[in-house]
Amino acid sequence: MASSQSRRELNQSESLLPCPFGSLALPLSDLDLRHTAYEIFVSACRTSAGSRPLTYTPQPQSQSQSPNGNGNGNGNSPSPSLQRSLTSAAAAASKVKKALGLKSKTKTPFHSPTKKPATLADLMRIHMSIPDHADARIRRGLLRIAASQLGRRLESMVLPLELLQQFKSSDFPDPQEYHSWRTRNLTMLQAGLLLHPFIPLHPSDPSAHRLTQILRTATHTPLETGRNTESMQLLRTAVLSLATRSFDGSASDSCHWADGSPLNLYIYQKLLESCFEIGDDGSLIDEVDELLELIKKTWTILGVTQIYHNLCFTWVLFNQYVTTGQVDTDLLLAADALLAEVAKDAKTNKDPVYCQILSSTLSSIMGWAEKRLLAYHEAFNATNIEAMQCIVSLGVCSAQILVEDISHEYRRRRKGETDVARSTIDTYIRSSLRTAFAQRMEEVDLNRRSGNKYQNTPTTPILSILAKDIGDLAKKEKDLFSPIFKKWHPLAAGVAVATLHSCYGNELKQFISGLAELTADSVQVLKSADKLEKDLVSIAVEDSVDSEDGGKGLIREMPPYEAELAIANLVRDWIKTRVDRLKDWVDRNLQQETWNPGANRANCAPSAVEVLRIIDETLDAYFQLPIPMHQALLPDLTLGLDRSLQHYASKAKSGCGTRSTFIPAIPALTRCEVGSKLWKKKEKLTQTPPRRRSQVGSMNGRDSLSLPQLCTRMNTIYHIRTELENLEKKIKTCLRNVENAHADITDGLDIKFELSLSSCQEGIQTLCETTAYKVVFHDMSHVLWESLYLGDTASNRIDSFIKELDPTLEVISGTVHNRVRNRVITALMKAAFDGFLLVLLAGGPQRAFTCQDSQILEEDFKSLKALFLADGDGLPDEVVEKASSQAKNVLTLFRADSETLVERYKRMVTEAFGSAVKSRFPLPPTTGNWSPNEANTLLRVLCYRNDEAATRFLKKTYNLPKKL
């Protein structure tokens, strides 16, 4: 509606265009010009026969008619006469209309208060609004002139002067009409001879001064006309003196009184304006051929040539379209066709006066056209697209003539450097689309605020609405306007979408720069922008497929919006925020975690359940994001969540220590002597801590390292480990369910929480070992170190140790998840056998064994194995055998006598260190890898052997003390 109103306002404001021929130096009314033009027209069509009706004697003309109404040639078809009937004149199809691309219309009823014209003379008189009595007076005057000046040619007379000579006041119905008539003729003499002469006047010309004085006197003392008075004789002398001048200064047979510019064109315009129907449409009359042939007879008097006729008729056709409400597009079509003739004329005629009028006329036409074409989306739609085609052609052709044929700058440059038509169309497209874009922006904002158009979508972002409107605008441009422009610009549609791309891109850039976080609105805008860009680029590519560069130039004008990149960056920020928040949550909650095994059915930490819930919600939130690249950004999210779970698992096992934390330092080697100080009470051990015992001591009072809490930590990490597979399945399911996802989108997709999986596996293993060695070496140290085989071997056997292990196994069985339980018990079994061996091989000077004790040791060894086999209900046989194999092998040494052990030891050391060591055996290093084939193991068996042979060898070889 707003666009239609704008068109109406534009049309109304320009219903009258200023004449482009230049300004007249004195005011001549439209009535004055019409009457003078009619007088010239009738006089040009008269014959030399005094008493016969004024007719036009036919002259030879070509049978073909040019669109400008000029029939040059040597044909023999007759020219029309003023008295020719309209029926015969309109019988044949108009050649002029045909040449202008027009079709003859059905004759509409003649609307006039006077009677219907019967002849061309009547038609001309009516169209020029000449009263009957005025027409009769003119004809009578011309007859008198012809009678009094028999044989004189029309061009040798000054018509206003002759008419003044013929009529007096009594020839007029009233004095006022006579006064107006006389004033008009005198004014016409002043305009044609003094103000706009054909030949320029010298400032000191005496004839000009005389005529000026006569005309000035006539304003005070009315000139008496119709008589051969002295005043008329003075007027005649002065007028003829000026009218018969020639360029070489001699007197001429021809009179120049109405052929000076722009007076002649003003008069000629009035003649051409008679070629149109009287009424609202103002279309060309069917008799235009005959009428133009008659009008052509005035060229001699008016100094009009073919090129001036073409230019003036072009303007008249165009102006007729404008002043009659811009309804009849045939007028535009005719003006456009005739402008092609003007373009040909302009290339051959460089007369300064003509070029000036041509420039002014074309500038006026182009200015009017540009007001519509620089914002053609306001001025045109599907209903008036035909008119637009003509207006574009007029605008382009005018621009081409002005630049190529008139502009000196253009002639100085090589013509190949400038494509005027293409440049003009380019300007129209870019200007109009920028204006249309701004209007769409304003309309969208206004409609959204008022809720007129988008009341059902009040939350739709403005730029999303705008993107859709711009997409519609681009489609309309491509379908409706681009086909018109393509005649002059092969990439019209491409230029249009490039302009829209730039306009929307500027708004989008500001929008993106202000984004701080991912929101539904921001994603919607960016998705809309991405769709719009794809549509615009598609049009540009399609439009430029046949261009020389394949459209590369246009595409360079359309730098990508990178909407997907903007979305991706926002999503990455969203992911980082969620992951950082999750890590902070883990740190904060793990500090407060009590690791209570009874917190839930899974006997795991509530914080683990909560962290998995948060991750689940994060995945749900991610797949609910209205983004088109869930799969592409999924690795960023899974990596962040993977690291969060890895962090949780690492924190869950941190501070618990490792197996080495709880294994005591091995004391120095001694010979057998009761009263070793190694196994003092725990409170004394802390005063002289063995290797890495400080960490153990620092955890003695902490609940977090009690067996139930350690079991809860293992359950917690295992719970996370089992949920990893569920998370992977959930991700694949969600990915298949998101918008536009295909069923096979997850085929081959490798979603792994590798970091957290590795951390969970390591954490479970570490906690199993930590728990086992803490139980054996820390929690049961009072049984292991302070009781087992201490003093009398037979009195302090392994039964107490096994008895202490039973409740531990019950706690583990009742607390630890069944999939982890065997791993913990296996670790506990390994720790028990390690403790058993450590007592035998590094139990300190308070322990001593004889060969006979080997049977006790083997029996205890079997009891320890039986504990973990549990009559078939415990660990698998192969697992127990594998874990106990080291202890079993070492026990074989306790059955051997000391002499055999000494010889075997010497052989091993010699093999290890060479024959040079026979004089003094070096101490083999303690590796902890106890084995019958390891020298350090044999040496330790000898150290704890309670017999003379072992003690003597140790004293002699190493001088070992009996006590620490």
Side-chain angles (χ1 to χ4, degrees), residues 115-149:
K115 65 180 181 179
K116 179 180 179 181
T119 64
L120 288 173
D122 290 337
L123 180 68
M124 191 65 168
R125 176 182 58 76
I126 294 172
H127 279 210
M128 296 193 74
S129 302
I130 304 298
D132 287 342
H133 69 274
D135 176 59
R137 184 176 61 247
I138 293 169
R139 293 173 183 277
R140 189 167 62 253
L142 290 174
L143 287 172
R144 292 176 184 176
I145 294 170
S148 63
Q149 302 187 26

Side-chain angles (χ1 to χ4, degrees), residues 507-682:
E507 300 299 324
L508 184 65
K509 190 182 298 181
Q510 293 182 28
F511 174 79
I512 291 176
S513 65
L515 288 179
E517 61 179 349
L518 186 71
T519 63
D521 281 0
S522 61
V523 172
Q524 186 175 355
V525 168
L526 293 171
K527 286 177 69 175
S528 299
D530 188 57
K531 181 183 182 304
L532 173 64
E533 182 170 50
K534 286 182 171 64
D535 292 343
L536 296 181
V537 170
S538 175
I539 293 174
V541 170
E542 180 185 346
D543 193 52
S544 56
V545 66
D546 296 326
S547 65
E548 293 181 2
D549 66 349
K552 293 179 180 178
L554 270 180
I555 299 302
R556 280 195 294 271
E557 277 192 53
M558 303 170 71
Y561 290 158
E562 296 184 335
E564 286 194 357
L565 178 61
I567 294 176
N569 289 336
L570 287 173
V571 174
R572 290 189 180 100
D573 290 342
W574 182 90
I575 291 172
K576 185 178 184 303
T577 300
R578 294 293 184 105
V579 170
D580 289 347
R581 192 183 302 159
L582 181 57
K583 182 179 180 297
D584 292 341
W585 186 95
V586 168
D587 289 337
R588 187 170 58 254
N589 281 268
L590 280 183
Q591 288 177 0
Q592 304 168 6
E593 186 59 70
T594 61
W595 305 104
N596 179 10
N600 47 52
R601 292 176 60 185
N603 287 329
C604 66
S607 58
V609 177
E610 184 64 16
V611 78
L612 288 168
R613 186 191 63 78
I614 293 173
I615 288 175
D616 198 65
E617 289 180 352
T618 301
L619 288 172
D620 288 338
Y622 174 75
F623 285 106
Q624 286 172 8
L625 292 176
I627 59 174
M629 68 280 287
H630 287 98
Q631 183 177 2
L633 296 176
L634 190 56
D636 295 70
L637 178 62
T638 54
L639 179 60
L641 298 179
D642 193 14
R643 285 174 174 166
S644 298
L645 289 174
Q646 178 195 31
H647 180 63
Y648 184 97
S650 298
K651 295 283 284 187
K653 72 179 179 64
S654 66
C656 297
T658 62
R659 57 177 287 181
S660 60
T661 304
F662 300 98
I663 298 177
I666 297 176
L669 292 173
T670 61
R671 292 178 290 152
C672 282
E673 176 75 13
V674 177
S676 171
K677 296 179 182 179
L678 173 63
W679 309 115
K680 298 294 184 182
K681 296 295 183 180
K682 284 187 284 184

Side-chain angles (χ1 to χ4, degrees), residues 109 142 323 359 432 569 588 663 749 767 785 820 901 963:
L142 290 174
T323 56
S359 176
S432 184
N569 289 336
R588 187 170 58 254
I663 298 177
L749 184 64
L767 284 173
W785 306 128
V820 183
L901 293 175
K963 55 186 176 182

Side-chain angles (χ1 to χ4, degrees), residues 434-479:
R434 288 190 188 107
T435 302
F437 181 86
Q439 288 176 341
R440 295 299 192 282
M441 277 274 298
E442 186 176 347
E443 288 173 8
V444 167
D445 189 33
L446 183 62
N447 287 331
R448 189 173 183 274
R449 289 180 184 178
S450 62
N452 291 345
K453 186 177 178 182
Y454 307 103
Q455 56 185 354
N456 295 326
T457 55
T459 60
T460 304
I462 288 179
L463 285 184
S464 291
I465 300 171
L466 183 64
K468 182 182 183 305
D469 284 2
I470 296 307
D472 294 341
L473 180 62
K475 186 177 186 306
K476 177 183 178 182
E477 180 75 22
K478 172 179 175 287
D479 296 340

